[in-house]
Amino acid sequence: MTLDTEMPIRQAAGLLHTTGQEAAPVVDASGALVGILTQKDCFRPAMMASYYRQWRGTVGDQMSRPVKTIEAEADIVAAAEMFLSEPHRAFPVLRSGQMIGLLRREDVLGRLLNLG
């Protein structure tokens, strides 16, 4: 799942919630990665909506940037070390500068459990 900068933040927050995703990459019209929207990024607009009874803004207004990414060629140890050193729960995966997926913390932990 990817999002675009013009998507209403309410719609994007709903997608993250209903799909159970902690984050989603934000891409431009050419498919280039421009940000990431996390559940945490959605809290402020959600809190404001509960107070003012109206959602305001777009994904572009709330997304996090710059985005920390991981290369597709990275091994499981490098991925685990990134999750240890960063507070993020997901990293977009790039191959030759193009986004090909999203690596979640739970994916790495599951792989380490299988290996050990």
Side-chain angles (χ1 to χ4, degrees), residues 57-74:
T58 64
V59 167
D61 298 330
Q62 302 300 325
M63 69 184 184
S64 297
R65 61 184 153 202
V67 183
K68 296 240 180 199
T69 61
I70 188 165
E71 291 297 319
E73 294 75 23

Side-chain angles (χ1 to χ4, degrees), residues 4-40:
D4 69 77
T5 58
E6 297 304 312
M7 178 182 282
I9 191 63
R10 171 66 176 95
Q11 181 182 357
L15 282 172
L16 289 177
H17 178 71
T18 58
T19 61
Q21 297 293 317
E22 295 177 348
V26 182
V27 297
D28 65 14
S30 70
L33 183 67
V34 295
I36 190 165
L37 186 74
T38 67
Q39 286 181 349
K40 184 177 179 182

Side-chain angles (χ1 to χ4, degrees), residues 4 11 16 20 31 36 46-47 52-53 56 60 64 71 74 77 84 91 94-95:
D4 69 77
Q11 181 182 357
L16 289 177
I36 190 165
M47 289 172 45
Y52 293 109
R53 305 281 185 240
R56 293 188 179 134
S64 297
E71 291 297 319
V77 172
L84 282 171
F91 293 105
L94 302 181
R95 177 175 285 133

Side-chain angles (χ1 to χ4, degrees), residues 94-110:
L94 302 181
R95 177 175 285 133
S96 302
Q98 292 291 92
M99 193 191 66
I100 61 167
L102 192 68
L103 182 65
R104 300 171 307 157
R105 186 167 45 187
E106 67 185 63
D107 299 328
V108 174
L109 180 58

